[in-house]
Amino acid sequence: MTQIPAGARLVLATRNQGKLRELRELLRGRIEGLDVDTQVIDAAAAGVPDVPETGVTFEENSLLKARAVADATGLAAIADDSGLAVDVLGGAPGIFSARWAGRHGDDAANLDLLLAQLADIPAAHRGAAFVCAATLALPGGKAVVERAELRGTLLTERRGEGGFGYDPVLRPDGLDRSTAELAPEEKNAISHRGQAFRALLPAIVDALA
């Protein structure tokens, strides 16, 4: 079994600090006795190696990662697979969002490539959605999977300094700002990841009770 920090109760299967912050804020004050800053940790703190994303859907990748981390740590584990689905690209980048430009996690290159691909596409056809499949897995195999989306329109240039990934170029439906221009609490209230994680809350509460 992997060596994990004393007192840890929940592992988020990621090394992405933005995702860890979002989960901690979502859970803060929601579960009695849970210190999110010390008891909710990421894969790096748990010493868990990266899990290959060999699935062909967000749901499959999320489930693969959560089960692997739960079995490796003996703790409840949450994983998500999320990305941007662009209508005129047939749902791409999709599960390849983090490595759309060829190198995993290069947000600037991914944004540059996407904006170039859509340079001649008018606003009426720039519809897209952030998609998230989130899984809670317990050691031994039990798992719950939830999926959520945040629809919006892709901007022609970056706006805002917050968030990460494709946040600077998606303007959620009904708003006049990009997701990177939203305060963290505003983003968490509507985001695809926030919606999916909130749908998992009853299962998380049961698992940590």
Side-chain angles (χ1 to χ4, degrees):
M1 184 175 294
T2 302
Q3 194 70 29
I4 60 175
R9 298 176 64 189
L10 182 66
V11 183
L12 180 62
T14 188
R15 284 173 166 73
N16 185 313
Q17 292 302 296
K19 290 184 179 182
L20 181 61
R21 284 194 299 271
E22 286 184 2
L23 178 62
R24 283 174 168 171
E25 288 310 308
L26 178 68
L27 294 178
R28 194 177 301 279
R30 300 268 188 146
I31 301 174
E32 186 175 355
L34 180 67
D35 182 345
V36 296
D37 296 314
T38 62
Q39 295 181 313
V40 179
I41 63 174
D42 64 6
V48 181
D50 288 333
V51 179
E53 296 181 357
T54 56
V56 297
T57 66
F58 292 115
E59 288 86 350
E60 287 179 6
N61 283 331
S62 174
L63 185 59
L64 280 168
K65 291 187 287 187
R67 280 183 168 160
V69 172
D71 289 342
T73 62
L75 297 174
I78 294 177
D80 85 282
D81 194 34
S82 54
L84 180 69
V86 180
D87 296 350
V88 296
L89 296 180
I95 62 171
F96 303 109
S97 293
R99 52 189 182 275
W100 189 234
R103 187 172 64 186
H104 192 281
D106 190 339
D107 289 350
N110 290 335
L111 282 169
D112 286 342
L113 177 58
L114 181 70
L115 290 173
Q117 290 170 323
L118 301 178
D120 297 326
I121 303 299
H125 300 294
R126 297 177 73 93
F130 281 140
V131 181
C132 177
T135 299
L136 170 71
L138 305 180
K142 181 180 178 182
V144 179
V145 183
E146 298 287 352
R147 179 187 172 103
E149 297 186 2
L150 175 63
R151 290 288 308 176
T153 299
L154 291 172
L155 304 170
T156 57
E157 60 184 14
R158 296 169 174 82
R159 282 174 45 185
E161 301 296 329
F164 57 92
Y166 296 91
D167 283 344
V169 296
L170 186 88
R171 177 178 56 77
D173 288 345
L175 297 180
D176 60 1
R177 292 170 291 163
S178 76
T179 47
E181 294 178 297
L182 302 178
E185 59 272 16
E186 291 179 290
K187 179 185 172 184
N188 290 340
I190 64 171
S191 77
H192 54 310
R193 192 173 298 107
Q195 292 180 57
F197 283 167
R198 279 192 294 276
L200 284 178
L201 271 176
I204 297 171
V205 172
D206 286 345
L208 299 183

